[in-house]
Amino acid sequence: MSLTTVTGSKGMVTAPHYLAAEAGLAVLQDGGNAVEATVAAAACLAVVYPHMTGIGGDGFWVIHEADGAVHGIHGCGGAAASATLELYDGLEAVPFRGPLAANTVAGTISGWQAALESAGGSLPLSRLLRDAIAHAEAGVAVTGGHAAIAAAKGPELRVQPGAYAQTFEPEGRPLHEGDVLRQPVLAQTLRRLCEEGLGSFYTGALAADIAADLALLGSPVSGDDLAAHSATRPGPLTTRLRDCQLWNSAPPTQGFASLLILALFDRLAAEEHDGFDHLHGLVEATKQAFLIRDIHVGDPAYHDFDWQGLLSDPAALDELAARIDPAKALPWPQPPQWGDTCWFGAADNEGRVVSAIQSTYFEFGSGLVLPKTGITWQNRGSSFRLAESGWNALKPGRKPFHTLNPALARFDDGRVMAYGTMGGEGQPQTQAALFSRYARFGADLQAAINAPRWLLGRTWGEQSTTLKLEDGFDPALYQALAAAGHDVERVGPLTATMGHAGAIVRHADGRLEGATDPRSDGGVATW
């Protein structure tokens, strides 16, 4: 892992595990484009970072084409037809783990399929998944982060029906850092996708095996639910800053909030990098964005809010920004959102830049590992409310609210930037931190990610809803934020609580810059 910005010219991939970045780069070197490289990285992450992502989850894409066109892909599944309130009778909430948590279709593979159909690439799927299959068969060394999560969450995961213990605790204990994780069943599933096509996940022989396993384990997701699913292509939301245009995924993701935070901060005074006005301004912009998000963002079929209209209305944005007190914190908290995720990006020498993100929601998702296929199924639907109506209420076919949101920017000078992070509630905040440092204050790309970060609310493994700050800021800043009314909590040195961020910038002359997070096991691969 480099602690300085990596540069290149022919192609670049960044991912929160270095093997995924290397897999993507190898595809570029073999003549693939950025979308094909991103699929290779995504597949590899599903193998080498199984605590964070997998093919049993959802994924979202924002793609900037060489001609300047920007489009999005949602590989996002809805709730099963039988996932009704009656199914959860007697429960106060959808469980976080187990069969009833595995209540939505996994859309990741449909997202890969849609992206490849639009990319015009030439490499066969067997080439794109080659490295993922090899790592699943031969095994990979377990990272420290994986080992820590496996140890902490093992008691609630190994008791779930399915093959979790067989797959991730083959020696009868959680894997330790440096142990070799082999996933031969998942390797065979990836091979089947190459032979049968990605569509087989939903309508083919593979779908039949998936449906049989889900039924055996008690999930409400059926073969009919799989067959009814397809990726969608809603246009990304967009907003204008003083010197660039931003894009992010449309609902049901929180991409709206990520854009709104930066649009509001663009209207605030902040001259000092990582000074009080910078952090206070972004935290208060986050609060304003979350107040709207937590009422109006979800499955578009159940909302009539004009998200793009607000992001395109300078007067409305001015009015929201005026609600921010430059010296005093708005009382908080609001209900937090969870989520564990992998963001990754790629750029090729044709000018295409990809921002992508995929997740199984909690670490190891629902905890259901399907015996026939080795797929870990997501628990994204555990975020549904068991209510007749209202925000994110459980309904058959409804898509749950998503924290996932891949970000992209195009500057007036021709630079194109793909950036993002894992971290649930922290995703928009980490995006705002790294983007504002780089774009507004001129920080080096890697330095913008290395620098200490903050988080308002709860995220990955955390319960408190304080304003958490890493060590490394000016000591006076912590005091100033507390004096302004922020509930400041010092969380020590760099921590994965703050997400695993990454970024790629393609300059108008074709130069590439890339960065990855020292809080992750990531890498930037280039040539």
Side-chain angles (χ1 to χ4, degrees):
M1 179 190 303
S2 174
L3 294 182
T4 59
T5 298
V6 176
T7 60
S9 60
K10 295 182 179 179
M12 181 175 286
V13 181
T14 183
H17 194 292
Y18 71 95
L19 288 176
E22 291 175 357
L25 177 64
V27 164
L28 291 176
Q29 292 173 327
D30 282 353
N33 60 41
V35 169
E36 293 173 307
T38 302
V39 168
C44 196
L45 284 168
V47 172
V48 304
Y49 239 38
H51 54 302
M52 289 293 174
T53 188
I55 64 173
D58 285 341
F60 297 86
W61 298 60
V62 176
I63 302 170
H64 186 285
E65 300 289 356
D67 63 3
V70 178
H71 58 103
I73 294 169
H74 286 197
C76 169
S82 63
T84 63
L85 293 179
E86 288 74 20
L87 182 66
Y88 298 89
D89 188 41
L91 298 176
E92 295 184 357
V94 179
F96 290 142
R97 304 288 194 188
L100 293 182
N103 61 8
T104 62
V105 173
T108 285
I109 295 298
S110 70
W112 295 3
Q113 184 176 27
L116 291 171
E117 287 172 353
S118 69
S122 59
L123 296 182
L125 188 61
S126 58
R127 173 61 192 87
L128 304 186
L129 304 192
R130 183 194 70 187
D131 290 4
I133 293 169
H135 291 314
E137 280 192 327
V140 293
V142 171
T143 65
H146 177 169
I149 290 173
K153 302 299 180 180
E156 67 192 62
L157 291 167
R158 69 176 68 102
V159 298
Q160 302 304 329
Y164 176 85
Q166 176 184 342
T167 303
F168 296 112
E169 297 184 352
E171 298 181 15
R173 58 161 176 81
L175 292 170
H176 299 157
E177 182 176 3
D179 285 349
V180 176
L181 169 64
R182 295 181 176 86
Q183 300 173 79
V185 181
L186 181 60
Q188 181 58 28
T189 296
L190 294 172
R191 271 206 192 84
R192 290 181 66 182
L193 287 171
C194 297
E195 296 165 358
E196 301 171 17
L198 294 175
S200 181
F201 192 97
Y202 302 99
T203 59
L206 178 57
D209 285 343
I210 291 171
D213 266 349
L214 288 170
L216 177 68
L217 301 181
S219 165
V221 176
S222 69
D224 288 343
D225 294 319
L226 293 172
H229 171 79
S230 62
T232 58
R233 299 177 181 270
L237 298 179
T238 186
T239 197
R240 175 72 189 176
L241 303 190
R242 63 188 70 182
D243 62 352
C244 65
Q245 193 75 26
L246 303 181
W247 289 269
N248 210 307
S249 281
T253 82
Q254 64 174 338
F256 165 80
S258 294
L259 294 173
L260 185 55
I261 291 168
L262 288 170
L264 297 181
F265 182 68
D266 199 50
R267 289 161 164 78
L268 303 179
E271 301 302 326
E272 184 182 1
H273 178 236
D274 281 356
F276 175 83
D277 290 341
H278 182 196
L279 269 70
H280 174 79
L282 281 174
V283 170
E284 295 305 297
T286 297
K287 292 175 181 177
Q288 294 297 324
F290 282 4
L291 287 171
I292 298 174
R293 179 201 69 178
D294 292 345
I295 297 174
H296 296 297
V297 175
D299 187 336
Y302 294 83
H303 292 267
D304 58 5
F305 189 80
D306 188 0
W307 304 288
Q308 186 56 65
L310 175 55
L311 292 169
S312 301
D313 186 342
L317 294 172
D318 290 345
E319 180 182 347
L320 279 175
R323 298 179 187 177
I324 295 174
D325 188 323
K328 186 177 180 181
L330 181 72
W332 208 249
Q334 292 290 311
Q337 304 295 333
W338 290 68
D340 298 326
T341 306
C342 285
W343 177 89
F344 40 101
D348 58 33
N349 61 4
E350 297 174 357
R352 187 182 288 107
V353 179
V354 177
S355 181
I357 195 165
Q358 64 186 36
S359 172
T360 52
Y361 198 31
F362 281 25
E363 57 285 289
F364 296 103
S366 65
L368 267 61
V369 178
L370 309 190
K372 292 182 181 179
T373 61
I375 298 170
T376 302
W377 208 262
Q378 66 184 355
N379 66 328
R380 179 62 59 177
S382 66
S383 68
F384 281 124
R385 295 169 52 250
L386 296 181
E388 291 287 349
S389 61
W391 183 83
N392 211 36
L394 176 64
K395 301 286 183 183
R398 186 173 189 169
K399 294 180 178 180
F401 169 82
H402 265 277
T403 53
L404 306 184
N405 64 114
L408 194 141
R410 183 170 65 215
F411 295 85
D412 293 348
D413 63 9
R415 286 173 293 162
V416 177
M417 179 180 184
Y419 61 104
T421 181
M422 72 87 154
E425 187 90 334
Q427 286 185 41
Q429 301 179 63
T430 293
Q431 287 183 14
L434 75 90
F435 182 83
S436 61
R437 283 168 170 160
Y438 173 81
R440 182 159 174 176
F441 297 106
D444 170 80
L445 189 63
Q446 185 66 57
I449 292 176
N450 292 349
R453 294 204 290 262
W454 63 91
L455 169 69
L456 174 70
R458 182 181 70 181
T459 189
W460 191 57
E462 295 291 331
Q463 295 292 332
S464 64
T465 53
T466 55
L467 176 60
K468 302 170 183 65
L469 293 103
E470 292 178 325
D471 291 346
F473 290 106
D474 185 328
L477 176 63
Y478 304 98
Q479 300 174 6
L481 290 169
H486 295 282
D487 185 9
V488 172
E489 178 185 355
R490 300 277 295 267
V491 296
L494 304 187
T495 168
T497 297
M498 299 296 168
H500 294 166
I504 289 178
V505 175
R506 188 181 195 279
H507 291 259
D509 62 3
R511 286 184 300 118
L512 298 169
E513 293 182 304
T516 191
D517 205 321
R519 300 162 183 82
S520 75
D521 303 290
V524 179
T526 190
W527 65 316

